[in-house]
Amino acid sequence: MPKVSICIPAYRDRDGLERLFNSIVAQSFTDYEVIVSDDVTDNNSSSLEDIVNKYKGDLGDRLIYKKHISTGRPGDNWNSSIENAKGQYIKMMLHDDWFTDKDSLSEYVSLIEESDAPLAFSGTWEVSADWRYARHITDEDVLLIKQDIRNLYTKSVIGAPSATIYRNNGRFYDPKLKWLIDMEFYIRQIRAGGGSFTYTNKPLMSIGRSDSQMTSYCLSHPNLVRKEYFYVYKKLGLKCEKKYTEYLKCQLKKPH
């Protein structure tokens, strides 16, 4: 059984997926499998299978390709990538992100193995075609979510899914969500593990940024964002505390 399942929900981005694979095969830590779930619009063709096949020589049976017929809900493809993962840990990797250097995966594994936490996360390089900057959680925000992980609802400070590694305990993402899908998952994962987490400020991941990402889509559909805040508020039982109710009211009023 592999130590880590690197799970990649992919969609159309050939260049991004190839860059990600190049960063995977360069890793010094090699006890992993790679699962690519390719979100395609029909059952006969995929623009990414040939990219995956290029790395069969490097990865052999450790590389698994799945064709996922698109439902229009990204979370379904995310879950497809993790549903058969055999690793002790899951390293979610979105197709436009990549490991910063050859020891990134090794450092992620050390980070989570040195604690009892159900989830670990790192700092990142945020990268576009025109700029790059380092991002990491502040000490103030660490205290905020240590106090109560539900505070992620008011300030989502862990970062992108690719910045995390977590214990494989059969938990899935909520496919009803797009904008809050990662934050809602982090809350459930960490609460189920007793509320603990571990992290490093080191930018172990590089996060690709562009206007074509789901973030841009959600921000251009403010009603979607409002509905998701209301949905998560109800799902996680946040109505009992005034601060979450007040935050929800603010979100419902925002133009986004």
Side-chain angles (χ1 to χ4, degrees):
M1 303 287 281
K3 177 74 74 173
V4 179
S5 293
I6 300 174
C7 299
I8 307 171
Y11 179 68
R12 291 187 180 178
D13 186 357
R14 296 171 61 83
D15 292 341
L17 185 62
E18 189 156 15
R19 178 178 59 192
L20 169 54
F21 264 113
N22 287 336
S23 77
I24 291 172
V25 299
Q27 291 304 297
S28 58
F29 183 92
T30 59
D31 188 5
Y32 61 76
E33 65 177 354
V34 180
I35 305 172
V36 178
S37 182
D38 188 1
D39 210 36
V40 298
T41 54
D42 60 70
N43 201 27
N44 300 313
S45 64
S46 168
S47 62
L48 298 178
E49 189 168 7
D50 62 317
I51 298 293
V52 175
N53 286 338
K54 287 175 61 175
Y55 294 89
K56 278 286 188 182
D58 292 300
L59 299 173
D61 292 339
R62 292 186 293 155
L63 177 56
I64 301 161
Y65 173 81
K66 301 175 64 178
K67 189 176 291 187
H68 178 263
I69 305 305
S70 180
T71 63
R73 304 193 306 179
D76 286 329
N77 195 36
W78 290 27
N79 289 336
S80 173
S81 74
I82 66 176
E83 65 184 354
N84 300 123
K86 299 181 179 67
Q88 182 178 352
Y89 308 115
I90 289 178
K91 183 72 190 75
M92 178 64 80
M93 299 286 286
L94 302 188
H95 61 240
D96 38 12
D97 305 332
W98 64 99
F99 289 113
T100 297
D101 61 47
K102 66 180 180 63
D103 295 319
S104 291
L105 184 55
S106 175
E107 294 188 56
Y108 271 115
V109 172
S110 295
L111 188 64
I112 196 165
E113 290 206 318
E114 290 170 4
S115 77
D116 295 323
L119 182 145
F121 61 94
S122 77
T124 58
W125 283 110
E126 307 289 313
V127 185
S128 81
D130 303 313
W131 44 257
R132 182 178 90 151
Y133 68 89
R135 175 200 174 279
H136 63 75
I137 193 169
T138 65
D139 292 342
E140 177 183 78
D141 288 336
V142 169
L143 292 175
L144 179 74
I145 60 175
K146 277 187 174 180
Q147 179 185 35
D148 189 335
I149 195 60
R150 296 178 303 167
N151 286 331
L152 282 177
Y153 181 77
T154 63
K155 197 171 186 182
S156 188
V157 294
I158 286 180
S162 299
T164 70
I165 187 170
Y166 57 89
R167 297 183 189 276
N168 185 0
N169 49 21
R171 193 162 285 110
F172 291 93
Y173 295 89
D174 188 334
K176 293 181 180 179
L177 296 170
K178 292 181 179 178
W179 177 246
L180 301 179
I181 186 171
D182 49 359
M183 175 267 281
E184 188 272 340
F185 177 84
Y186 301 155
I187 291 174
R188 284 189 291 116
Q189 177 76 2
I190 292 172
R191 286 179 79 182
S196 65
F197 58 87
T198 188
Y199 71 98
T200 177
N201 287 339
K202 188 173 180 179
L204 302 180
M205 286 299 307
S206 293
I207 308 295
R209 296 299 186 190
S210 72
D211 292 337
S212 64
Q213 292 176 314
M214 183 57 64
T215 298
S216 298
Y217 173 86
C218 291
L219 290 175
S220 66
H221 292 76
N223 284 337
L224 180 152
V225 175
R226 295 186 191 101
K227 287 178 181 177
E228 290 200 4
Y229 272 107
F230 187 62
Y231 172 79
V232 172
Y233 173 80
K234 291 196 300 180
K235 179 179 179 179
L236 297 181
L238 302 179
K239 63 182 180 180
C240 296
E241 296 198 32
K242 183 178 179 180
K243 62 181 176 181
Y244 301 126
T245 301
E246 292 302 315
Y247 186 79
L248 174 63
K249 288 178 181 178
C250 291
Q251 293 302 313
L252 295 178
K253 293 176 182 177
K254 275 185 178 182
H256 288 284

